[in-house]
């Protein structure tokens, strides 16, 4: 039964002598194959930029814009992704030189699309080194390129793609190093691995993967390991020092350490509930490969859904087919591991397992459940699948009859038998890619796909320029903190950020009062989103950040200001604050929500001119 399951995969690869005429002929066609993969991938990613941009993607675009507006370099250099904003800034300036007039987000998305096409081409080249003949390298490369995680990284402004491409390049060089080990190539691997860390600190884990990959081929000499370590250290340390000293002008180690270590020391992302997080790991890995189950995804927005039950059935069939194929591939890797660890591919197998193990261990306790951090593990998983199929195919061929290979009719029958499984693999791959496209990509190609962008457009339509918008910065509408400045061009005051800096309620209140007094003094309008009064999850998130904060205290931050409804937006009422310049005889602010005390309980009433359940505006 197991042979029946893996038979289609076995037939998609063939091991031959590297000096055979077949390989020579194939080598002549490799450049066109690479060009086709690159062109198709670039076209695919370039035509499917997402409008459901993540918080970080828009935040980085805001930082790039801030650097251009103020001329300051600090927004371009974040210790967690040192060179990403700088690279995005350079691409944006280049696009402006050619006449582009928009913001940096679209340019960063285009940059990631280009890098995604380069990474996929490099990955296919790496797989061809392991299996020069056959269709399996192309199938696995397309599985990576069509995976939800890789696809979304290549179409959003996320920070992950540059470091992933550099890791793929380093891994490709590592495969070359296995054949021709030398210090120069080891240094190149180290430099690429170090450069990957400059775009995302988590790529530092790959530095250990490089050591494991180089070590078995450098036992006779320490030069290779020394070259690798020196190149890696130089690629990491020199840019950080240059940025800290020349760009940010740090004058002491304490300043530099406070900047470089601030992100890691916040502690917001650590979670040591191991058993709970292991379950999240499985979901994250599955999500990196293909989309969420249909009940948790954007099924209602997909075109097939308008077809009713038939469309839903098609999507469920694609989902279950993708799940079955992934489980079969995983089972084949698991069954083949004992043989691989005793085969000539032992060192490569250990390198891949190290890569997967390091990422799995770290992301089990740091930001568990975030599928985007599991995308790099798809690279070694694909390699393990390839060498597992190779090993299974080799075992099958060892028992073949010589006469069957020499007989012309037998060869024709063999080709006919191979055609059907290959068509099956092709159909599965098509369904897998279509599932990710229809459920995970297509619904978010519309400019109105992101609700926070809709809120930003609404704010831009109802507020004057320079108006200050107060947002929670956490909860359901956390992304408004970055989307409103980018898409509406209005500054925001995040209660979450203010609380993080002030650390106490009193400090938050003082900071908020200072900011609002400056805004009112400059003649600016101030608005507050309704989430601070009506969204319990938002207040719960603020309370989780600081146990001192609860719903009454959040609302009491604005007691001294007059609060009146301005308009009803996509997420409820938007309130306008005015300074307390008109007080009644009782000392209360006219029209303000009244604060009453009932024992230890604080209650709030809406202004009298607002109905309890106001109708939505058209």
């Amino acid at each position: 039964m197991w042979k029946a399951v893996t038979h289609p995969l076995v037939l998609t690869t063939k091991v031959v002598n590297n000096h055979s005429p077949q390989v020579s002929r194939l080598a002549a066609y490799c450049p066109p194959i690479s060009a086709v993969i690159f062109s198709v991938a670039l076209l695919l990613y370039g035509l499917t930029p997402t409008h459901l941009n993540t918080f970080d993607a828009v935040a980085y675009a805001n930082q790039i814009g801030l650097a251009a507006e103020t001329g300051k370099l600090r927004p371009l250099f974040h210790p967690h992704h040192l060179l990403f904003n700088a690279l995005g800034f350079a691409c944006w300036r280049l696009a402006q030189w050619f006449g582009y007039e928009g913001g940096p987000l679209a340019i960063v998305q285009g940059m990631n699309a280009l890098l995604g096409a380069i990474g996929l081409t490099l990955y296919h080249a790496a797989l061809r080194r392991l299996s020069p003949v056959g269709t399996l390298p192309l199938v696995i490369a397309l599985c990576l390129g069509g995976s939800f995680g890789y696809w979304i990284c290549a179409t959003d402004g996320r920070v992950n793609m540059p470091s992933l491409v550099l890791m793929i390049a380093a891994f490709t060089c590592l495969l070359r190093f296995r054949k021709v080990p030398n210090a120069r190539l080891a240094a190149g691997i180290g430099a690429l691995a170090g450069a990957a860390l400059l775009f995302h600190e988590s790529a530092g884990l790959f530095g250990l993967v490089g050591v494991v990959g180089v070590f078995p081929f450098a036992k006779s000499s320490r030069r290779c390991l020394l070259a690798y370590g020196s190149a890696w250290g130089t690629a990491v340390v020199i840019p950080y020092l240059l940025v800290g000293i020349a760009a940010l002008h740090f004058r002491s180690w304490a300043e530099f350490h406070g900047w470089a270590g601030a992100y890691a020391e916040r502690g917001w992302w650590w979670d040591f509930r191991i058993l709970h997080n292991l379950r999240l790991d499985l979901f994250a890995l599955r999500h990196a490969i293909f989309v969420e189950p249909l009940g948790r995804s954007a099924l209602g927005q997909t075109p097939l859904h308008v077809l009713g039950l038939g469309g839903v059935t098609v999507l469920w069939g694609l989902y279950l087919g993708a799940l079955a194929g992934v489980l079969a591939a995983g089972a084949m890797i698991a069954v083949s591991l004992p043989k691989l660890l005793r085969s000539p591919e032992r060192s490569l197998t250990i390198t891949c397992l190290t890569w997967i193990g390091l990422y799995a261990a770290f992301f089990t306790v740091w930001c568990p459940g975030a599928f985007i951090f599991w995308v790099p593990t798809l690279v070694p998983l694909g390699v393990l699948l390839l060498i597992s199929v190779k090993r299974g195919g080799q075992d099958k061929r060892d028992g073949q009859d010589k006469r069957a290979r020499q007989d012309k009719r037998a060869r024709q029958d063999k080709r006919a038998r191979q055609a059907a499984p290959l068509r099956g693999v092709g159909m599965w791959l098509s369904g897998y890619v279509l599932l990710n496209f229809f459920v995970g990509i297509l619904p978010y190609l519309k400019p109105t796909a992101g609700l926070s962008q809709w809120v930003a457009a609404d704010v831009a339509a109802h507020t004057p320029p320079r108006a200050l918008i107060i947002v929670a910065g956490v909860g359901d509408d956390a992304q408004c903190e970055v989307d409103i400045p980018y898409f509406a061009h209005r500054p925001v005051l995040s209660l979450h950020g203010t609380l993080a800096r002030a650390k106490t309620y009193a400090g938050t209140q003082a900071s908020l009062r200072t900011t609002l007094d400056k805004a009112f003094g400059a003649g600016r309008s101030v608005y507050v989103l309704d989430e601070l009064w009506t969204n319990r999850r938002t207040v719960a998130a603020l309370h989780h950040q600081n146990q001192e904060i609860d719903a009454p205290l959040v609302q009491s931050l604005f007691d001294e200001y007059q609060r009146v409804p301005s308009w009803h937006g996509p997420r409820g009422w938007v309130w306008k604050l005015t300074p307390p310049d008109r007080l009644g005889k009782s000392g209360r602010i006219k029209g303000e929500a009244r604060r009453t005390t009932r024992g230890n309980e604080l209650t709030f009433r809406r202004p009298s001119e607002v109905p309890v359940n106001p109708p939505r505006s058209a």
Side-chain angles (χ1 to χ4, degrees):
M1 180 177 177
W2 176 251
K3 288 184 178 180
V5 173
T6 60
H7 187 58
L9 289 175
V10 172
L11 292 178
T12 60
T13 188
K14 181 178 181 180
V15 178
V16 297
N17 190 298
N18 286 341
H19 302 287
S20 69
Q22 285 177 290
V23 177
S24 299
R25 288 194 298 271
L26 181 68
Y29 291 98
C30 275
I33 291 175
S34 299
V36 169
I37 292 174
F38 173 80
S39 301
V40 172
L42 182 60
L43 184 65
L44 177 66
Y45 300 145
L47 292 177
T48 55
T50 183
H51 285 280
L52 192 69
N53 305 104
T54 53
F55 183 99
D56 288 349
V58 184
Y60 304 151
N62 282 328
Q63 292 165 0
I64 293 171
L66 180 63
E69 180 182 346
T70 63
K72 295 181 179 179
L73 294 177
R74 185 149 191 159
L76 295 182
F77 299 107
H78 191 292
H80 176 255
H81 44 270
L82 186 70
L83 298 184
F84 181 80
N85 285 0
L87 179 61
F89 180 83
C91 292
W92 184 39
R93 285 304 196 200
L94 180 63
Q96 289 178 324
W97 189 75
F98 283 102
Y100 176 76
E101 297 180 353
L105 180 58
I107 299 302
V108 174
Q109 287 180 274
M111 178 188 78
N112 278 343
L114 175 62
L115 291 172
I118 294 173
L120 194 61
T121 306
L122 288 174
Y123 188 53
H124 178 257
L127 296 177
R128 297 304 294 189
R129 285 190 173 275
L130 297 172
S131 180
V133 175
T135 59
L136 187 59
L138 180 61
V139 169
I140 294 178
L142 293 179
C143 285
L144 175 67
S147 67
F148 177 72
Y150 193 91
W151 198 336
I152 203 67
C153 283
T155 56
D156 195 6
R158 295 172 185 259
V159 72
N160 311 81
M161 185 53 74
S163 64
L164 178 55
V165 172
L166 287 168
M167 285 189 284
I168 293 174
F171 189 76
T172 303
C173 292
L174 187 60
L175 296 180
R176 170 68 176 168
F177 181 83
R178 295 171 69 242
K179 302 294 183 182
V180 189
N182 60 76
R184 182 179 298 179
L185 196 51
I189 298 168
L192 288 169
L197 184 145
L198 301 179
F199 290 94
H200 201 283
E201 280 186 336
S202 66
L205 298 170
F206 185 81
L208 298 176
V209 177
V211 171
V212 173
V214 169
F215 179 75
F217 303 96
K219 290 181 178 179
S220 59
S221 172
R222 298 180 180 178
R223 289 182 60 195
C224 291
L225 282 176
L226 182 62
Y228 173 84
S230 300
W232 187 91
T234 301
V236 172
V237 173
I238 297 300
Y240 269 94
L241 290 178
L242 286 176
V243 168
I245 297 172
L248 305 183
H249 307 293
F250 294 135
R251 293 292 177 260
S252 67
W253 170 252
E255 282 185 287
F256 180 83
H257 181 267
W259 166 75
Y263 189 81
E265 293 171 359
R266 285 179 184 171
W268 293 348
W269 300 276
W270 295 104
D271 187 339
F272 292 94
R273 297 174 296 170
I274 305 299
L275 294 179
H276 173 265
N277 294 346
L278 287 175
R279 181 178 63 87
L280 298 180
D281 290 347
L282 293 176
F283 287 124
L285 179 59
R286 192 268 312 146
H287 196 185
I289 301 173
F290 57 96
V291 292
E292 289 284 327
L294 303 184
R296 301 175 58 186
S297 63
L299 176 61
Q301 303 180 47
T302 59
L304 285 182
H305 186 255
V306 302
L307 300 178
L309 182 61
V312 175
T313 303
V314 169
L315 287 177
W316 266 111
L318 293 176
Y319 178 84
L320 294 176
L323 180 63
V326 169
L327 290 176
M332 185 171 191
I333 293 173
V335 169
S336 302
L337 274 180
K339 292 182 180 179
L340 293 177
L341 292 173
R342 296 191 302 268
S343 72
E345 305 292 353
R346 180 176 183 271
S347 62
L348 179 59
T349 303
I350 292 175
T351 302
C352 292
L353 291 176
T354 301
W355 191 347
I356 297 168
L358 286 173
Y359 267 72
F362 182 75
F363 290 110
T364 295
V365 296
W366 194 87
C367 207
F371 76 92
I372 206 68
F373 299 123
W374 288 80
V375 176
T377 64
L378 302 185
V379 174
L381 282 171
V383 173
L384 287 177
L385 178 61
L386 178 67
I387 58 180
S388 297
V389 173
K390 276 182 60 177
R391 177 55 48 189
Q394 185 64 54
D395 293 343
K396 179 179 176 63
R397 281 186 295 276
D398 289 343
Q400 285 183 339
D401 181 47
K402 266 186 182 179
R403 181 176 171 279
R405 282 178 284 172
Q406 294 173 353
D407 184 78
K408 182 177 180 180
R409 184 172 180 180
R411 289 199 301 270
Q412 291 175 345
D413 292 342
K414 181 181 177 181
R415 284 195 293 269
R417 290 194 303 270
Q418 286 179 346
L422 287 175
R423 284 195 294 269
V425 171
M427 290 177 63
W428 177 88
L429 179 61
S430 300
Y432 162 80
V433 173
L434 286 174
L435 172 69
N436 285 329
F437 175 71
F438 274 106
V439 181
I441 302 297
L442 184 60
Y444 307 117
L445 298 183
K446 300 178 295 183
T448 57
L451 181 59
S452 56
Q453 293 185 24
W454 189 13
V455 172
D458 188 63
V459 167
H462 288 87
T463 60
R466 299 178 61 247
L468 178 65
I469 314 299
I470 300 177
V471 300
V474 292
D476 297 338
D477 298 320
Q479 188 147 340
C480 288
E481 179 183 348
V482 293
D483 279 13
I484 290 176
Y486 186 83
F487 296 104
H489 306 291
R490 305 291 191 271
V492 299
L493 174 62
S494 168
L495 194 58
H496 165 72
T498 304
L499 181 60
R501 290 187 295 270
K503 300 186 184 305
T504 64
Y505 170 78
T508 301
Q509 190 177 40
S511 176
L512 183 66
R513 183 183 297 113
T514 300
T515 302
L516 293 184
D517 288 347
K518 288 181 179 179
F520 290 133
R524 298 166 61 187
S525 301
V526 178
Y527 299 86
V528 185
L529 298 189
D530 197 49
E531 57 179 342
L532 291 175
W533 283 279
T534 60
N535 194 317
R536 295 182 179 180
R537 287 189 293 269
T538 295
V539 177
L542 290 170
H543 177 72
H544 178 74
Q545 179 186 351
N546 190 316
Q547 301 298 314
E548 183 185 0
I549 301 297
D550 56 16
L553 287 180
V554 168
Q555 297 183 23
S556 68
L557 289 170
F558 305 96
D559 268 0
E560 59 185 285
Y561 302 99
Q562 185 177 4
R563 175 168 62 96
V564 295
S566 183
W567 79 93
H568 197 279
R571 296 291 283 179
W573 282 94
V574 179
W575 304 83
K576 184 175 182 179
L577 296 186
T578 56
D581 53 356
R582 294 187 302 274
L583 298 180
K585 292 181 180 180
S586 64
R588 288 176 179 156
I589 302 169
K590 295 179 180 179
E592 171 64 306
R594 291 174 173 79
R595 183 170 182 261
T596 60
T597 304
R598 297 178 182 172
N600 294 324
E601 181 185 2
L602 297 178
T603 62
F604 295 83
R605 301 175 189 160
R606 291 178 177 270
S608 58
E609 57 266 29
V610 181
V612 176
N613 294 307
R616 284 186 172 273
S617 58

